[in-house]
Amino acid sequence: MQDEIWLQPWIWLDYKLAVLFTVIVPLVLFIWSLLKRQAALTRLLVIYWRVASLLMITVYLLIPGWPVGYLTGFLARLLIPTALWFWADLNEDIADQPPNPFKLALTGWRWAVSVYCAIGTFASIPFLSCAFSRAALSTPFCQVWREPPVLYREWFHANSQPGFLGFLGAVGLTIYALYFGSFMITRLGKRGRSAMEQ
């Protein structure tokens, strides 16, 4: 019980920061890049949204308390900074942009979300036991992570069963895994670190 009390405000803070850094700010930047007709920067943000969708999948997996949600949350924090900094052509395009408010906002956000994800990755390592141990999963130490997803369900899916929402998360995870596997096997080998169409 003490673990739950001590962790609870930090976990809620983590979810609030996630909404800010992984949803609100990139959505504003994405709309801004479309308005500025910045093809390369829009491409970076499209890649970001594809990768970051694993965070929403995690929320749906945690609503019914499925252990895989702890693992997908950890992996999302690893993949997001990788997706933002991996692409050599997009990095060059951003570096070549003249100083302007959009470049400053995009660069500041990339650094901020990368630091946030790095801290979150290290902080979530102890909770990986929740994904692999049925005994650990039932403890307050693990269950406290479910409070924000359960509240999300109450707000947006009050009439839906947790198992059904978990099923939607599982379908999303399957599609995500298939797309990621296809990317690793076919596209990455052919195009390397180039994100833009040739």
Side-chain angles (χ1 to χ4, degrees):
M1 189 66 167
Q2 285 186 336
D3 282 337
E4 182 181 10
I5 293 168
W6 180 83
L7 289 169
Q8 194 174 40
W10 294 103
I11 289 168
W12 278 98
L13 176 63
D14 177 59
Y15 274 92
K16 290 173 185 174
L17 290 174
V19 170
L20 175 65
F21 286 126
T22 67
V23 179
I24 296 172
V25 174
L27 183 59
V28 170
L29 289 171
F30 181 66
I31 294 168
W32 197 354
S33 73
L34 290 173
L35 294 174
K36 289 181 66 67
R37 298 177 190 210
Q38 296 282 337
L41 306 183
T42 301
R43 179 74 177 147
L44 176 67
L45 289 160
V46 167
I47 291 168
Y48 164 78
W49 282 110
R50 287 179 182 161
V51 172
S53 64
L54 190 56
L55 289 174
M56 183 53 72
I57 291 169
T58 297
V59 169
Y60 279 81
L61 293 171
L62 287 178
I63 288 171
W66 291 358
V68 69
Y70 295 92
L71 185 59
T72 58
F74 177 80
L75 293 174
R77 293 173 191 267
L78 290 175
L79 292 173
I80 287 171
T82 303
L84 288 175
W85 298 98
F86 179 77
W87 308 102
D89 56 343
L90 296 180
N91 290 333
E92 288 174 12
D93 192 77
I94 292 169
D96 291 342
Q97 294 271 329
N100 60 64
F102 180 73
K103 178 182 178 180
L104 179 63
L106 181 70
T107 303
W109 169 72
R110 282 208 306 173
W111 279 108
V113 79
S114 297
V115 169
Y116 163 74
C117 285
I119 292 170
T121 298
F122 287 111
S124 63
I125 288 172
F127 299 97
L128 287 175
S129 64
C130 304
F132 300 106
S133 168
R134 189 62 74 175
L137 182 63
S138 62
T139 64
F141 180 74
C142 294
Q143 289 300 308
V144 71
W145 278 97
R146 293 190 53 229
E147 290 179 9
V150 168
L151 182 62
Y152 170 84
R153 175 191 166 239
E154 290 174 6
W155 284 354
F156 297 104
H157 301 290
N159 297 322
S160 299
Q161 293 297 318
F164 173 71
L165 298 174
F167 171 75
L168 293 180
V171 170
L173 181 59
T174 302
I175 294 168
Y176 190 97
L178 290 172
Y179 182 84
F180 187 77
S182 171
F183 165 78
M184 294 296 286
I185 293 167
T186 59
R187 192 173 178 282
L188 188 61
K190 290 179 183 174
R191 305 224 330 248
R193 295 182 62 199
S194 175
M196 298 300 288
E197 301 293 335
Q198 300 296 323

